Amino acid sequence: MGKENANKEEVKKAKKEARALKKEEKIHKQYEKLQEASKFKKWRNARPFWGATLTVLAGLMILYIPLHLYAIAFIPGSLVFVGFLFGGLTLIIGILSFFFPQFSTIFGIFTLFLSVLSVMGALGGFLIGTLVGIVAGSLCIAWQEETVVLKKDGTEWNKEVVVNHTNQNNPTLQA
Amino acid sequence: MSKMDGAKVGKTWKKKFLVAFMSGFLALGSLIAVFGFTGTVFALPLGGIGDFYVEFDELEGTNFQLLPQIGETGNSDAEPMVRNKMDTAKIKNLHIYKDIKLPTGNWIRIHIKASGDTTITGLIQDARFIDANLSFDELAIKEKNTEAYNENWTQSASTIRITDAKIVTDYLFQTTVSLSGAKISIESIEEPEMMGQ
């Protein structure tokens, strides 16, 4: 019984390692692609570009309805003002995502939250804004900056991946 | 170990994306489900699509106000119309329909029908043509010597009762609206209705 358990754990461990290796290979492939890429592609790669762009688009779509109803936006009890707030915040978050990629996860969560809530007060840009916002938020959450550790000559690569600038604190990388 | 060099690569992880995407849809679904249970939609605007028709058997409204208005219709940028404002409105047998021309040249009519009571707060409606029986409580008509066309002449009443109405509408806004027994359907028609033109 104990032997079986040990075997199972070994298989689990092997699977985990295989997954990690696959992930590292993907990152390395991306790095190789980037070596020959243009300046814009490199800039795009350093931030959640599509997530941020779609967030800006979703913000504009959500703002469309309140902008058309601005005449009544400040009538007491009107929810149009809330629509302005949701759309405006989504737009600002989208712009900030371009400049502060390290906060992409938080920006993504806020985008998701705001675009879903924008159904109230702005009808979520006829729901299209909400749908684009959900995709944009998910892209921002899913984006990560990974560090590929290379030997100085650049030919071989070490299979250690560090997420989001943590290499300063990682003793294995400070050799 | 030789000296290491770190290179940064941005990557979007599929698994994380799917989890976030599903959570977003779950949140949206729950919000719509809550609206579905109460039948309430917040801040519903309907405009910029040209004429549409509003019919109902009976409407009882409070704090009614009628103002002159110049607004956009499906055929013109500035058309004279009247703006009706009410704080609350209770409507029996509401029927809203809109005729739309398809790219194929055929016409279709989209119906929104509420068989039960419809309760609205914060109603604003721009109408181009009204055919109805009207009765008011505490009706006041006021004229003001001003250049502003929408303040020059106003009509207000504490309560209004409209029966057997057919209104050609160009803009509709409701802060909250609750439709009980709402049904949306589409039918194909020979030609569009041209009332009040």
Side-chain angles (χ1 to χ4, degrees):
Chain A
M1 200 66 176
K3 215 176 180 182
E4 239 176 61
N5 273 347
N7 265 346
K8 266 185 188 173
E9 259 182 36
E10 255 177 48
V11 172
K12 249 187 191 176
K13 212 176 163 186
K15 271 187 183 172
K16 215 176 170 183
E17 272 174 14
R19 266 203 299 267
L21 198 72
K22 212 175 160 189
K23 189 178 167 185
E24 285 155 21
E25 270 169 12
K26 271 185 187 172
I27 293 166
H28 188 68
K29 252 187 208 169
Q30 176 120 355
Y31 171 76
E32 276 176 351
K33 250 195 220 169
L34 268 177
Q35 292 301 94
E36 296 134 31
S38 64
K39 225 177 175 182
F40 172 68
K41 243 184 182 173
K42 279 181 184 160
W43 177 86
R44 205 176 69 182
N45 188 265
R47 61 211 73 237
F49 179 76
W50 291 113
T53 310
L54 287 180
T55 305
V56 171
L57 201 72
L60 291 175
M61 282 178 180
I62 293 167
L63 271 177
Y64 177 83
I65 288 177
L67 279 178
H68 274 71
L69 302 175
Y70 69 94
I72 52 162
F74 299 102
I75 292 173
S78 166
L79 272 165
V80 178
F81 177 70
V82 182
F84 260 121
L85 199 73
F86 289 159
L89 279 175
T90 312
L91 189 69
I92 291 169
I93 287 173
I95 295 165
L96 286 178
S97 309
F98 281 115
F99 303 107
F100 302 100
Q102 64 269 40
F103 302 123
S104 71
T105 310
I106 293 166
F107 287 152
I109 292 169
F110 274 114
T111 306
L112 269 186
F113 182 72
L114 287 171
S115 44
V116 169
L117 276 189
S118 71
V119 174
M120 294 190 288
L123 255 190
F126 294 111
L127 268 185
I128 303 167
T130 299
L131 296 179
V132 174
I134 291 173
V135 175
S138 309
L139 280 172
C140 280
I141 291 171
W143 187 87
Q144 259 186 356
E145 191 169 65
E146 315 269 359
T147 307
V148 184
V149 182
L150 298 164
K151 280 186 179 175
K152 199 71 181 169
D153 58 11
T155 50
E156 253 183 88
W157 60 289
N158 190 311
K159 290 180 173 89
E160 278 180 89
V161 178
V162 186
V163 178
N164 280 348
H165 305 288
T166 50
N167 53 344
Q168 290 98 332
N169 309 323
N170 194 334
T172 56
L173 298 174
Q174 287 165 8
Chain B
M1 207 169 175
S2 65
K3 212 171 181 187
M4 300 289 183
D5 187 18
K8 300 234 161 56
V9 172
K11 187 107 183 82
T12 304
W13 295 107
K14 229 184 253 172
K15 207 174 166 185
K16 262 186 155 185
F17 173 80
L18 285 175
V19 171
F21 191 68
M22 294 314 279
S23 334
F25 266 95
L26 205 71
L28 180 65
S30 2
L31 197 74
I32 289 172
V34 169
F35 286 163
F37 283 132
T38 57
T40 304
V41 177
F42 289 97
L44 180 74
L46 207 58
I49 54 169
D51 285 348
F52 54 93
Y53 294 84
V54 178
E55 283 182 350
F56 50 82
D57 288 351
E58 191 186 334
L59 178 147
E60 274 174 32
T62 58
N63 285 339
F64 166 76
Q65 240 191 322
L66 187 137
L67 315 156
Q69 171 77 9
I70 292 177
E72 192 180 328
T73 71
N75 311 316
S76 156
D77 281 347
E79 192 84 7
M81 46 183 79
V82 286
R83 169 161 283 189
N84 298 308
K85 279 186 184 177
M86 283 174 220
D87 280 2
T88 61
K90 200 171 176 186
I91 304 172
K92 275 184 190 151
N93 276 337
L94 176 70
H95 178 200
I96 299 174
Y97 61 94
K98 165 79 189 160
D99 298 338
I100 293 170
K101 193 178 185 181
L102 295 176
T104 53
N106 297 332
W107 286 85
I108 56 159
R109 182 169 289 173
I110 300 172
H111 298 274
I112 302 171
K113 278 183 191 169
S115 53
D117 282 353
T118 301
T119 43
I120 299 168
T121 61
L123 172 74
I124 298 170
Q125 185 210 35
D126 290 347
R128 206 167 49 74
F129 186 85
I130 300 173
D131 175 17
N133 304 320
L134 303 155
S135 62
F136 305 94
D137 276 339
E138 295 171 29
L139 176 70
I141 297 172
K142 208 165 78 180
E143 275 195 60
K144 204 172 162 187
N145 185 15
T146 169
E147 290 287 312
Y149 69 88
N150 55 354
E151 287 173 19
N152 191 263
W153 181 86
T154 57
Q155 184 176 326
S156 61
S158 60
T159 62
I160 180 172
R161 191 162 176 270
I162 309 173
T163 52
D164 298 324
K166 186 164 188 176
I167 304 170
V168 184
T169 310
D170 282 281
Y171 176 76
L172 192 66
F173 178 82
Q174 296 126 340
T175 305
T176 65
V177 55
S178 169
L179 299 147
S180 70
K183 273 185 200 132
I184 298 173
S185 59
I186 298 172
E187 65 165 338
S188 73
I189 50 169
E190 289 293 315
E191 53 183 33
E193 196 167 330
M194 304 291 271
M195 193 178 175
Q197 302 231 340

